[in-house]
Amino acid sequence: MSLSEKKNLKVLVIGSGGREHSICWKLTQSELLGKLYCLPGNAGIADVAECIDGIKVTDVPKIVEWCTGNAIDFVVVGPEDPLTHGVVDELEKANILAFGPNKAGAELEGSKAFMKDILQKSGVPTATYIRTTNPDEAKEYIKKTGAPIVVKASGLCAGKGVIMCFTEQEAIQAIDDMMVNKIFADSGNEVVVEEFLEGEEASYFALCDGKTAVAVAGAQDHKQVGDGDTGPNTGGMGAYSPAPILTAEMEEKVMKEVMIPTVEGMAKNGTPFKGVLFAGLMIKEGKIKVLEHNVRFGDPECQTVMMRLKSDLLKVLILASEGRFSELPPLEFDPRTALNVVMATAGYPGSYPKHTPINGVDDAAKQPNTMVFHAGTDKKDGQLVSTGGRVLGVCALGADAKEAQEQAYKSVACLKWEQGFCRKDIGYRAVARLNQ
């Protein structure tokens, strides 16, 4: 019997970001849910789930012990770290169903070098590259190829391990920073040096059951910290869904050329992939190339997809985890555009102050068609305070990108947070398309 046929399920979400807040918010709308927990959660998640403190998201034995002791039926893993630590493998050994890939599947994100090799073997279009653990070999390739060029730390770097280099000198410096000076610790022991791709970036989500993939939705995010895509890369300063560049025809192409071949390639490799596959794409003149694969819902894109999703998320994730795609009804989405503006602490993505007071969140959330998803927040003596770099995601629905953008920024204006900042142009590409 499928878990999806049971009621009063006890569900745990692992994670503490805006992505997890939006997932928890959507799960509470399921008729299958009995009790929702989040480990560790944050100040916003505490409004919709019971937060579990004192266990690290990478402490797999403690997580399994807690789930067993609390008779948890189903676990949704938000971030990549617990996945690459094998939390799904251990939960399954304890007969607890979990949504997300096992440790071998999570290597698609845990190692950019592994991911590039899978793409190449599976015939998925991607930038030409080398993978190496030798700084001299990397520098030789840079000199031979010339700039612009991209240098990536192969391991996990919280979205910050990719450096776009516009001169050979910058690229050689990036190799020294990663491989010699160890700015990303062991994550930079191996690097991928690849061709610099031009075009328009977009993201795409698909659910996978180890054998095949089912389309979810597309989105576009804004990686750079400053307006007009300037300044250093971040984990993402905002997003919107759907992305106009991902027409129905283009979505079909993404599934056929990228998602399904990747899942089939992983199965052939002996590392079947279950969970959500999240592809970063570069699109130019109708041609697609894969920039990266992530093995979880992207953040801040997830929030926009959750705002639009009308289907029962809990049921969908259970059926995907059980490999029962044949029983999965087509996913239903609100046709409107959802747009998410990330509020970050001044100084991000560099160093920034913590525990700065934030007010006006309730006023922002009261605006029509708006949700404020918490990322790096906590409560200190009843006062909401910041605890991270990316702190809030102000997400609004509108008839089109322009309306969603206007509504989101109206809500942002309600916030009173001296140390907070955001980009003022989230959604500019989609709005420009409307004006054409």
Side-chain angles (χ1 to χ4, degrees):
M1 183 182 173
S2 167
L3 258 192
S4 66
E5 292 163 48
K6 295 182 177 174
K7 290 273 171 85
N8 288 324
L9 295 177
K10 291 173 90 174
V11 177
L12 171 70
V13 173
I14 297 175
S16 62
R19 161 184 49 221
E20 288 77 26
H21 189 183
S22 69
I23 289 170
C24 287
W25 169 74
K26 187 51 74 177
L27 289 173
T28 58
Q29 296 163 30
S30 172
E31 56 184 29
L32 307 179
L33 185 71
K35 172 82 176 162
L36 183 63
Y37 299 91
C38 187
L39 184 158
N42 62 38
I45 292 172
D47 293 337
V48 290
E50 185 180 324
C51 293
I52 307 303
D53 228 4
I55 302 175
K56 285 195 174 120
V57 297
T58 50
D59 191 342
V60 173
K62 281 251 170 69
I63 291 171
V64 175
E65 187 188 325
W66 186 89
C67 289
T68 310
N70 288 275
I72 296 297
D73 296 298
F74 185 57
V75 177
V76 180
V77 188
E80 59 277 19
D81 272 349
L83 294 168
T84 57
H85 278 77
V87 71
V88 170
D89 310 61
E90 297 308 314
L91 286 165
E92 283 180 353
K93 281 182 200 163
N95 293 317
I96 297 166
L97 188 68
F99 178 77
N102 60 16
K103 192 175 182 176
E107 270 301 275
L108 260 186
E109 181 167 356
S111 164
K112 293 184 185 77
F114 171 79
M115 181 265 301
K116 292 290 284 191
D117 286 355
I118 287 284
L119 295 181
Q120 195 177 44
K121 283 181 204 160
S122 310
V124 176
T126 188
T128 54
Y129 72 102
I130 61 154
R131 58 181 289 188
T132 180
T133 52
N134 180 335
D136 293 333
E137 190 187 348
K139 289 174 187 178
E140 220 26 69
Y141 184 78
I142 289 162
K143 284 172 188 162
K144 193 178 82 190
T145 312
I149 199 163
V150 183
V151 178
K152 298 180 173 182
S154 181
L156 294 177
C157 302
K160 299 182 190 81
V162 176
I163 300 179
M164 313 279 185
C165 305
F166 295 96
T167 65
E168 282 182 32
Q169 198 41 52
E170 278 178 28
I172 285 164
Q173 185 60 53
I175 295 296
D176 283 338
D177 286 345
M178 287 180 193
M179 304 186 86
V180 183
N181 305 329
K182 302 278 182 207
I183 61 164
F184 299 121
D186 289 347
S187 290
N189 288 350
E190 182 171 26
V191 296
V192 170
V193 184
E194 67 176 31
E195 166 196 9
F196 181 91
L197 296 177
E198 290 183 273
E200 190 169 337
E201 280 190 54
S203 314
Y204 203 78
F205 293 102
L207 291 174
C208 310
D209 67 351
K211 299 179 286 290
T212 189
V214 169
V216 178
Q220 244 173 345
D221 87 334
H222 302 65
K223 277 272 178 273
Q224 284 167 284
V225 74
D227 290 357
D229 297 327
T230 54
N233 269 357
T234 68
M237 293 301 293
Y240 52 93
S241 174
I245 194 168
L246 290 167
T247 58
E249 186 188 14
M250 188 59 81
E251 286 196 22
E252 210 174 292
K253 204 171 162 156
V254 170
M255 289 303 295
K256 200 169 118 190
E257 292 181 13
V258 176
M259 300 312 220
I260 290 165
T262 299
V263 177
E264 288 174 350
M266 285 291 280
K268 255 186 221 150
N269 191 57
T271 49
F273 184 85
K274 282 168 84 170
V276 66
L277 187 59
F278 169 49
L281 310 167
M282 185 66 85
I283 302 169
K284 190 179 183 183
E285 291 159 6
K287 289 195 172 73
I288 302 163
K289 285 196 177 178
V290 177
L291 296 169
E292 62 175 1
H293 272 316
N294 294 316
V295 299
R296 33 75 195 182
F297 284 107
D299 185 341
E301 297 92 338
C302 178
Q303 293 89 310
T304 62
V305 174
M306 293 301 145
M307 286 285 280
R308 293 182 56 228
L309 183 68
K310 292 172 101 167
S311 305
D312 183 325
L313 179 66
L314 184 50
K315 191 173 190 173
V316 167
L317 298 185
I318 287 170
L319 289 173
S321 304
E322 292 177 337
R324 291 173 177 247
F325 273 174
S326 56
E327 296 164 48
L328 187 67
L331 297 182
E332 281 183 65
F333 284 95
D334 190 318
R336 290 178 294 174
T337 295
L339 185 136
N340 182 15
V341 176
V342 170
M343 294 296 299
T345 311
Y348 177 78
S351 58
Y352 48 81
K354 285 187 176 180
H355 309 298
T356 61
I358 305 166
N359 294 300
V361 172
D362 291 345
D363 294 335
K366 277 182 198 144
Q367 295 290 314
N369 301 312
T370 302
M371 276 297 300
V372 179
F373 294 116
H374 291 235
T377 64
D378 199 2
K379 282 261 173 85
K380 224 175 172 184
D381 305 323
Q383 170 67 55
L384 186 70
V385 295
S386 66
T387 59
R390 293 189 299 166
V391 176
L392 298 168
V394 181
C395 215
L397 284 165
D400 57 24
K402 193 171 183 347
E403 196 180 286
Q405 185 191 55
E406 282 168 3
Q407 185 55 59
Y409 282 109
K410 237 182 234 171
S411 303
V412 165
C414 299
L415 297 172
K416 294 173 179 63
W417 177 27
E418 213 177 301
Q419 292 79 9
F421 79 97
C422 64
R423 276 184 58 164
K424 304 285 191 291
D425 63 348
I426 301 302
Y428 75 88
R429 277 197 190 90
V431 173
R433 268 199 170 85
L434 290 172
N435 294 337
Q436 274 170 13

